[in-house]
Amino acid sequence: SEKLQSIYSFLSALIDLHQPTECALEAPFFGKNVQSMLKLGRAQGVAMAVAMSKGLPVTEYAPKKIKLSVTGNGNASKEQVAQMMAKLLRFDPTGMKLDATDAVATALCHLNQSSALLGAGAGYGGWESFLEQHPERQL
């Protein structure tokens, strides 16, 4: 319970500091070790509760969807995800925990999914709509 309280306090302070408008989480998955799965589920629940208490919408993504979104392979290893994040976002992953690069991948997956939804018509009306809203941009 102390670790869960620590997670709650840390995430609450992080949200207060950075003022995000959305939250993306990796959905619980079924693993071989039941105890590990239960502990992870509790931590995910705390993260979700913090976000919801701050008024953030929460979106969950399956691990395979995250991997597919960022690497093109739903069965990519954690190391492959880390390498792809480093390449795409131009940072050195040396010394980073694989869980940290997984979190970055979850955020990028959410961005990819949000962009795809916008491009599909949820808020995007096409070139004609843009020109109507911005007549100064017409030739």
Side-chain angles (χ1 to χ4, degrees):
S1 63
E2 290 174 11
K3 286 186 180 184
L4 295 176
Q5 176 60 47
S6 176
I7 291 169
Y8 187 94
S9 297
F10 177 77
L11 290 177
S12 184
L14 201 59
I15 290 170
D16 289 344
L17 176 66
H18 294 288
Q19 298 292 306
T21 57
E22 300 176 43
C23 177
L25 296 173
E26 184 176 321
F29 59 91
F30 298 104
K32 294 178 183 176
N33 185 330
V34 176
Q35 287 301 315
S36 293
M37 187 177 66
L38 288 171
K39 289 175 184 176
L40 179 61
R42 288 178 183 148
Q44 289 168 322
V46 166
M48 189 178 293
V50 172
M52 291 170 38
S53 76
K54 301 286 186 178
L56 301 178
V58 177
T59 305
E60 291 183 276
Y61 296 98
K64 282 189 179 242
K65 180 157 189 126
I66 295 167
K67 292 173 183 181
L68 181 64
S69 176
V70 300
T71 70
N73 176 5
N75 293 314
S77 67
K78 283 181 166 285
E79 291 80 12
Q80 289 170 318
V81 170
Q83 289 172 350
M84 185 59 79
M85 292 301 87
K87 183 175 182 178
L88 289 173
L89 302 176
R90 298 183 182 137
F91 68 88
D92 180 7
T94 306
M96 287 185 75
K97 294 187 177 193
L98 294 176
D99 289 336
T101 52
D102 281 354
V104 173
T106 302
L108 186 58
C109 173
H110 185 62
L111 177 65
N112 289 342
Q113 295 302 307
S114 298
S115 298
L117 289 174
L118 286 175
Y124 176 74
W127 185 244
E128 290 81 15
S129 176
F130 175 81
L131 290 176
E132 285 176 18
Q133 294 172 5
H134 302 280
E136 74 281 3
R137 299 278 183 113
Q138 295 184 23
L139 297 176

